[in-house]
Amino acid sequence: MTISKSTRIIATPSAFARENYLFVQETGTLQSIEPHISKRENLASFLFFIVTKGSGFLSYKKQICPIHTGDCIFIDCQEEYAHESSKEDPWELSWVHFHGKNAESFYKNYIEQGNPFLFHPADLTLFLESLSFLYITQKEQTPYTELLCHKYITDIITLCFMECKKQKNNPSQSIYEKIRLISEYIDTHFQEDITLDALSTNFYISKYHLAREFKRITGSTPGSYLLGKRISNAKRLLRFTSASIEEIGASCGIPDAGYFTKVFKRAENMTPREYRKRW
């Protein structure tokens, strides 16, 4: 069964490139068709990829992070990592695996400066151009391929540093983006057991800061926003399906039918059954 479509170039650097350059190990694009977990560790490589469409999850350094369209990921593949596309919103990726002269020093310096392995640039143009140039250069293979690839990899690393510096200098822009991502996560996963503690862990933000900023930016607390999504979905199911009250509550993330009825009535001033009869 085909689980993805990809364009991929696997490269073998020359002895000179291994000694002197940052070099491509593989680069390409991927379109997920069926969700599958890609899991590795102890790989002498650094991975940079962009989610160009869709969403999924990244497991890295004992953290599970939701990732979405426009997110950039920069990780050390010596560490255990895994990533998986969303079933409901399959992703497309553009990536490069690389290594070489001073690659470890570059990455160590990047992390020591407090930069994240996951970030969301306001503009992906330069990142995507560099990845595209890498792929084309590898495909064409000229006497200057390895030198040019060294330049484009260096460009990507520089862009990572500069983008993270920009976000540090403009924290308000960063928090707005983070709240947007949290809202999108709730929109997609409202059927699941979502807690403030889990959101805090997954999105690297203290729960107190999250609660305060979410309320300031959206006008609603995370809990109220989540409940609103659940109630809206319940109303749709009550109107357009014949599912039981118990089934609807469970599908909206509230498996206790009595509690579901209680919170629904509190929100709509009528029970789910009354709502179904009136609408």
Side-chain angles (χ1 to χ4, degrees), residues 5 23 25 37 39 57 71 89 95 109 124-125 156 170 174 185 195 197 201 208 218 221 242 244 254 257:
K5 295 180 181 178
F23 56 82
Q25 295 168 311
I37 297 177
K39 184 176 182 179
F57 295 88
D71 283 343
D89 186 24
W95 88 91
N109 184 242
L124 288 172
T125 303
I156 290 171
N170 189 359
S174 178
Y185 179 81
T195 65
D197 285 332
T201 299
Y208 306 106
T218 69
T221 66
S242 58
S244 69
I254 309 175

Side-chain angles (χ1 to χ4, degrees), residues 57-60 62-66 201-204:
F57 295 88
L58 171 72
S59 175
Y60 184 64
K62 299 181 180 180
Q63 301 177 61
I64 299 177
C65 316
T201 299
N202 288 341
F203 288 91
Y204 316 109

Side-chain angles (χ1 to χ4, degrees), residues 4-6 8 28-32 36 91-95:
S4 65
K5 295 180 181 178
S6 64
R8 182 192 308 264
T29 61
L30 175 143
Q31 178 184 359
S32 177
H36 67 288
W91 63 20
E92 296 179 15
L93 310 178
S94 184
W95 88 91

Side-chain angles (χ1 to χ4, degrees), residues 162-197:
M162 297 306 293
E163 179 61 33
C164 291
K165 179 181 179 182
K166 187 191 307 179
Q167 292 189 10
K168 288 176 185 176
N169 291 338
N170 189 359
S172 62
Q173 178 181 348
S174 178
I175 192 63
Y176 273 94
E177 181 59 30
K178 183 158 289 191
I179 295 303
R180 182 187 68 81
L181 293 174
I182 292 171
S183 299
E184 288 182 356
Y185 179 81
I186 294 174
D187 291 346
T188 305
H189 299 275
F190 65 86
Q191 302 98 329
E192 302 170 13
D193 182 19
I194 298 176
T195 65
L196 191 60
D197 285 332

Side-chain angles (χ1 to χ4, degrees), residues 211-236:
R212 183 177 65 250
E213 294 301 311
F214 197 98
K215 171 77 172 184
R216 180 178 68 85
I217 293 170
T218 69
S220 174
T221 66
S224 295
Y225 185 86
L226 171 61
L227 182 59
K229 290 295 174 183
R230 288 174 167 171
I231 295 298
S232 294
N233 189 60
K235 287 167 22 179
R236 180 182 62 81

